[in-house]
Amino acid sequence: MSSVKFIEQELDWLQRVIMTRIQLYFKQDCSFSDILQVVPPALTGKTDYYPELLQQYSFDYCGRLLLVLSLAPHLRPEVLDIFFTKNTGFDRPYSEFGGLPVDGHGGFWPTVETAAFIWSGGDLAKRLQLQQYIRINPTLPNQGEQPTPVLVGQSGFHQSAVLPVNHIEQENMFTAKLIVSDGFLRKISGQLPYQPRYGHHFPAEPITTQLTWEDLVLSPEVMDQVEEIRAWITHRSTLLNDWQLKKKIQPGFRSLFYGPPGTGKTLTATLLGKVTDMPVYRVDLSMVVSKYIGETEKNLSQVFDQAEKQDWILFFDEADALFSKRTETVSANDRHANQEVAYLLQRIEHFPGIVLLATNLKSNIDEAFLRRFQSVIHFSMPDAEHRYVLWKGAFANPERLAANVDFTEIANEYELSGGAIINVLRYASLMALRQGNQQVKLQDIRQGIQKEFRKLGRIA
């Protein structure tokens, strides 16, 4: 059965639940004495995205009701038309039905109040029970925003990030509109995930690679640490939910990659996303930092919010530009810089996804950040054995190499990173084509190596 057919059954169930609640509330003839007697569609044996989501995050009856109620305005708005019924005694809509107007939408848009009516029917204890799904986010520093209600709770809204609640000025959580994330709507409709446009307002862009996990050349110690991250991504849901460790273990994973340029930090981050089917977004720190107080936090907040909703890996390259040591507070600029660091600490520590930071120098990173990392991985320069593997992998087609090219000798003689070896590949191949040759000569490779050494201020 496709997700579409299953969702149609969920909407049919919602319609029966709403009619049952209306009949019970207004003491009309009804086949049930409680909405819980209106059984939802069975999940057993369903393998499509929507039912699998419900099972993966253990959505209970109430959570499932909230989710399909939030989908109704998008998929079957007429299900909610009954809430336009007026209270004839006051010639106005029923307060307990909730709902808010939405520009361009002529139907009824449900709020948390609507969900409370359907769930509780005026029962105060059940109405208060609904609050277990809702939390109030604290105001973020320098943003001047009112607290924002977000649906969470045992049903997995926070983990699955499918049901954020729209920002409102009032602090009454029951007046918040029920909305589903754009990414969730796209998934259930089979569309490609939403991808924000890269720019100053959203300073992050996806990074990909054509290489595979087998192309990653790292020392056994480093590979073991990287495999730990891969294992966390693969088994995090089982660990937190099936093993019931979510009360003891935070849902996120943070790792610092440090070491010289070209040693595989960016490639490792990209391949971790590729092998686990998670998009990797590199945050452009030059676009994040703003001279205007509060703008840095605002720019980063948009990135973190989207990453949480769509389950991205966030990759901060040259991270010491933002995550550097805090300075003594001498001026207003110092206070602002320290506020940025404090904000980053707060967002990263509470981010339920994967955050990878890369830097050339570990000593530049604020110690407060280091204590919050699950792993700190040193990407050192490759030894002769690993350099040989990198050279062989770069020049993978032996027919394009002159007979006198010996990578064992080159690997032993020249200390280069994997990134530098790729630069040599590019240079030597271009030189061969310029000279009209079909093979790369040893001289071309040595010239490319000398070019790399000059860039580093070294002598080959």
Side-chain angles (χ1 to χ4, degrees):
M1 179 185 296
S2 69
S3 286
V4 172
K5 289 184 178 180
F6 183 83
I7 293 170
E8 285 179 341
Q9 291 185 0
E10 288 283 287
L11 290 165
D12 290 340
W13 167 63
L14 171 66
Q15 190 165 16
R16 293 194 301 271
V17 170
I18 291 174
M19 290 307 302
T20 299
R21 174 54 69 205
I22 293 290
Q23 291 167 351
L24 293 173
Y25 187 73
F26 291 105
K27 304 187 185 310
Q28 300 170 354
D29 290 339
C30 184
S31 303
F32 305 103
S33 59
D34 193 309
I35 64 167
L36 293 177
Q37 296 172 348
V38 184
V39 181
L43 296 174
T44 307
K46 307 297 190 302
T47 57
D48 294 291
Y49 172 73
Y50 191 93
E52 280 192 341
L53 179 89
L54 298 178
Q55 294 180 80
Q56 179 183 358
Y57 294 106
S58 304
F59 276 71
D60 58 14
Y61 193 102
C62 183
R64 197 164 162 180
L65 188 63
L66 280 165
L67 182 54
V68 72
L69 178 62
S70 306
L71 284 171
H74 302 274
L75 305 179
R76 197 185 289 178
E78 65 272 19
V79 169
L80 306 175
D81 284 350
I82 194 169
F83 291 120
F84 283 123
T85 304
K86 279 193 174 184
N87 186 332
T88 55
F90 295 98
D91 192 30
R92 51 159 292 172
Y94 283 91
S95 301
E96 55 266 51
F97 290 173
L100 283 176
V102 175
D103 290 341
H105 182 79
F108 181 92
W109 201 287
T111 59
V112 177
E113 187 69 63
T114 313
F117 168 75
I118 299 173
W119 174 244
S120 71
D123 184 316
L124 182 58
K126 294 192 74 173
R127 179 183 176 89
L128 294 175
Q129 183 187 8
L130 188 70
Q131 295 184 80
Q132 70 180 303
Y133 297 91
I134 304 168
R135 72 162 182 239
I136 299 293
N137 276 354
T139 303
L140 298 177
N142 296 321
Q143 288 186 283
E145 295 182 353
Q146 296 293 327
T148 304
V150 179
L151 291 183
V152 289
Q154 62 185 15
S155 59
F157 289 117
H158 179 60
Q159 296 97 320
S160 57
V162 299
L163 189 55
V165 177
N166 200 27
H167 172 80
I168 57 171
E169 294 183 357
Q170 301 87 349
E171 293 188 17
N172 182 353
M173 65 185 69
F174 289 92
T175 63
K177 289 186 300 184
L178 291 180
I179 58 172
V180 289
S181 68
D182 180 86
F184 179 64
L185 278 175
R186 286 172 174 266
K187 280 185 178 180
I188 64 173
S189 63
Q191 299 181 57
L192 293 174
Y194 169 67
Q195 182 175 314
R197 180 175 296 179
Y198 170 70
H200 285 285
H201 295 295
F202 193 84
E205 60 181 343
I207 54 174
T208 59
T209 179
Q210 294 184 8
L211 297 178
T212 67
W213 191 257
E214 289 68 30
D215 295 315
L216 194 58
V217 180
L218 301 171
S219 68
E221 296 81 8
V222 173
M223 182 59 84
D224 185 62
Q225 290 178 286
V226 172
E227 287 284 4
E228 179 191 355
I229 303 174
R230 180 180 177 180
W232 169 263
I233 297 172
T234 303
H235 302 294
R236 54 186 168 157
S237 178
T238 302
L239 198 67
L240 297 173
N241 298 307
D242 296 352
W243 286 33
Q244 299 180 351
L245 295 180
K246 56 186 174 184
K247 291 183 179 180
K248 300 178 181 179
I249 300 176
Q250 290 184 338
F253 196 102
R254 296 162 292 280
S255 183
L256 174 69
F257 297 170
Y258 75 97
T263 49
K265 300 184 292 295
T266 300
L267 177 61
T268 299
T270 310
L271 285 175
L272 276 169
K274 184 174 184 178
V275 76
T276 58
D277 198 26
M278 289 181 68
V280 181
Y281 272 70
R282 176 164 50 195
V283 181
D284 188 336
L285 297 177
S286 66
M287 286 191 175
V288 168
V289 180
S290 173
K291 63 181 178 181
Y292 299 106
I293 293 177
E295 283 298 309
T296 296
E297 293 90 333
K298 184 178 179 180
N299 293 340
L300 281 170
S301 179
Q302 294 185 63
V303 173
F304 276 106
D305 289 346
Q306 281 294 336
E308 182 172 352
K309 291 175 186 176
Q310 302 199 53
D311 203 19
W312 295 341
I313 294 174
L314 285 183
F315 178 63
F316 291 83
D317 199 5
E318 300 180 4
D320 42 329
L322 260 187
F323 299 81
S324 57
K325 294 183 177 180
R326 283 173 277 192
T327 60
E328 292 186 28
T329 304
V330 177
S331 65
N333 287 337
D334 295 332
R335 285 193 296 273
H336 173 45
N338 288 341
Q339 282 179 333
E340 289 177 349
V341 173
Y343 172 75
L344 288 167
L345 279 169
Q346 183 260 332
R347 283 310 300 257
I348 286 181
E349 187 168 11
H350 294 95
F351 181 65
I354 314 299
V355 178
L356 306 176
L357 280 68
T359 180
N360 295 338
L361 295 173
K362 174 187 171 185
S363 58
N364 288 345
I365 300 296
D366 191 294
E367 292 181 3
F369 279 111
L370 292 178
R371 291 194 296 269
R372 287 162 171 81
F373 291 137
Q374 273 70 45
S375 66
V376 177
I377 305 177
H378 181 211
F379 286 73
S380 59
M381 290 289 288
D383 58 20
E385 180 182 349
H386 289 108
R387 289 197 297 270
Y388 173 77
V389 175
L390 289 167
W391 279 112
K392 292 287 288 185
F395 293 85
N397 188 349
E399 295 179 358
R400 294 295 181 194
L401 282 173
N404 64 339
V405 175
D406 183 353
F407 284 132
T408 300
E409 180 182 341
I410 293 173
N412 285 321
E413 186 175 353
Y414 301 107
E415 185 182 24
L416 287 171
S417 68
I421 289 172
I422 295 300
N423 288 339
V424 174
L425 166 67
R426 180 186 294 108
Y427 174 84
S429 300
L430 282 174
M431 290 303 101
L433 290 174
R434 282 181 60 187
Q435 297 161 13
N437 298 326
Q438 295 300 309
Q439 288 187 325
V440 174
K441 296 180 179 179
L442 177 61
Q443 180 182 355
D444 299 327
I445 294 175
R446 290 191 181 277
Q447 287 179 350
I449 292 172
Q450 292 172 357
K451 185 171 180 287
E452 287 301 303
F453 271 62
R454 285 195 297 269
K455 283 165 52 178
L456 299 172
R458 295 161 58 190
I459 299 175

